[in-house]
Amino acid sequence: MDIKIQQLRHFSLVAEQRGFRAAASKANRSQAALSTSVKELEKILGQTLFDSGHKAKLTPYGEFCLPKINQFLKLYEDLNSDLRAAAAGQLGQVRIASVPSVAAKLIPRVLASYTETHPNVDVALVDDNAAGVEARLLAGEVDLAVGNCLHIQDERIEFTPLLADPIGIVCLHDHPLTSSSFQLSWEDVVDFPFIKNGTCSLLEPTPAHILADNARYSVENITSLFSVLELGIGITTLPRLAFPSESEHLRWIPLADPYVERQIGIFRLSDRYISPQAYDFYELCVSALYTPNQ
């Protein structure tokens, strides 16, 4: 016969309460039922746990068993609690991949709210370029990914749009373009040296593709790009979120003709189960970041 958790609990409770009557009252069971449960445990173990002359007094074997049983019951209760908390999304880990601009400007807002409701869930945030974000999601390295849908081709990836991120021209704050208009056309900037970056692929289906096609320089790393821009050797295009709003030397000017935007959203694999805690993060991203097109 296998030992039952209930039998161990009854034995521990009798020892704690120093008597079957008090233990039965606390367990909301009859004294006879509690006594039968302990006797069944003794039968399984092949040893008595309480002195036959003083039923509340532990035998030497009972003294040996009590701390081990109490330790097991504590582990069992912790396990039970942890499993239920994890099922409710209150324990575990959420892994998220994001393009850097979103990781820096949008995810912290969501994370602040998430930690309030899920204080015991660990969150791992990895930033990568758009291709890297997709690769991490497909490889199962992350539960969710946040970025733009431009290069997503795999049918297993489910995309939920959140907001539009417009493209603008980035140049030095005293560049001639800053005095001409609050909005620019690609024709206004075509004669200036252009620095191509990874987001310039957004220009490809528009007349502004000529800017990247004729670029004198190409810089993929965003940190290096800003360093080059601050030297004043060229201009570039960037999504609004990718531009550092605290920049003292650079300015972002909307590109009005053609108007170009990237669609920022959250990705998940349609054929893969995500944990409750990851689903809660997904839902929070949608509720906190979704902005309908105006």
Side-chain angles (χ1 to χ4, degrees), residues 229-250:
L229 286 167
E230 289 182 358
L231 293 175
I233 64 174
I235 65 173
T236 195
T237 55
L238 277 177
R240 185 69 179 88
L241 284 174
F243 181 72
S245 54
E246 71 281 0
S247 176
E248 297 180 0
H249 306 291
L250 300 174

Side-chain angles (χ1 to χ4, degrees), residues 80-98:
N80 185 44
S81 177
D82 287 352
L83 293 179
R84 291 178 183 274
Q90 294 300 320
L91 277 179
Q93 183 185 60
V94 178
R95 302 162 299 167
I96 306 149
S98 173

Side-chain angles (χ1 to χ4, degrees), residues 10-292:
H10 289 161
F11 162 68
S12 177
L13 191 58
V14 172
E16 175 192 313
Q17 296 296 313
R18 299 182 181 277
F20 281 84
R21 181 180 299 175
S25 175
K26 187 167 184 179
N28 199 27
R29 299 288 300 274
S30 70
Q31 186 172 336
L34 209 66
S35 178
T36 299
S37 178
V38 172
K39 285 180 180 179
E40 288 176 350
L41 177 60
E42 291 176 328
K43 183 177 179 180
I44 294 170
L45 295 174
Q47 291 282 348
T48 57
L49 297 167
F50 294 99
D51 193 313
S52 59
H54 192 302
K55 292 186 177 181
K57 183 179 180 182
L58 290 168
T59 63
Y61 180 69
E63 294 280 2
F64 169 82
C65 291
L66 182 61
K68 296 184 178 296
I69 289 175
N70 283 342
Q71 182 183 29
F72 170 79
L73 290 174
K74 177 63 167 61
L75 290 172
Y76 178 83
E77 293 300 330
D78 289 345
L79 175 63
N80 185 44
S81 177
D82 287 352
L83 293 179
R84 291 178 183 274
Q90 294 300 320
L91 277 179
Q93 183 185 60
V94 178
R95 302 162 299 167
I96 306 149
S98 173
V99 293
S101 55
V102 176
K105 292 190 175 180
L106 298 182
I107 295 297
R109 187 199 320 172
V110 177
L111 189 57
S113 298
Y114 186 79
T115 54
E116 289 183 2
T117 55
H118 298 72
N120 297 316
V121 175
D122 298 330
V123 180
L125 177 61
V126 181
D127 62 345
D128 207 333
N129 58 31
V133 163
E134 179 183 8
R136 289 176 185 274
L137 183 64
L138 289 171
E141 295 179 20
V142 296
D143 304 297
L144 303 167
V146 185
N148 68 83
C149 63
L150 182 64
H151 301 291
I152 302 298
Q153 303 294 332
D154 199 296
E155 294 181 353
R156 291 172 293 170
I157 297 179
E158 177 184 302
F159 177 74
T160 302
L162 297 176
L163 54 90
D165 190 16
I167 301 299
I169 303 296
V170 179
C171 59
L172 285 174
H173 68 86
D174 57 356
H175 192 280
L177 288 172
T178 61
S179 61
S180 59
S181 174
F182 290 107
Q183 294 185 334
L184 295 170
S185 162
W186 72 271
E187 294 174 321
D188 297 327
V189 303
V190 70
D191 293 329
F192 294 97
F194 192 83
I195 306 169
K196 184 179 180 181
N197 67 77
T199 66
C200 290
S201 56
L202 293 162
L203 305 177
E204 289 177 1
T206 76
H209 72 83
I210 193 172
L211 301 176
D213 292 346
N214 297 335
R216 293 188 183 178
Y217 317 100
S218 179
V219 181
E220 292 294 324
N221 180 273
I222 193 72
T223 303
S224 300
L225 176 63
F226 291 132
S227 297
V228 173
L229 286 167
E230 289 182 358
L231 293 175
I233 64 174
I235 65 173
T236 195
T237 55
L238 277 177
R240 185 69 179 88
L241 284 174
F243 181 72
S245 54
E246 71 281 0
S247 176
E248 297 180 0
H249 306 291
L250 300 174
R251 181 174 168 186
W252 184 90
I253 307 171
L255 181 64
D257 181 22
Y259 175 78
V260 183
E261 64 182 24
R262 64 174 180 173
Q263 192 70 46
I264 298 295
I266 187 165
F267 305 90
R268 53 183 288 190
L269 293 181
S270 57
D271 61 350
R272 185 178 299 167
Y273 169 82
I274 64 172
S275 66
Q277 53 268 35
Y279 184 76
D280 286 349
F281 195 93
Y282 170 88
E283 288 283 283
L284 188 57
C285 281
V286 173
S287 63
L289 302 179
Y290 176 68
T291 305

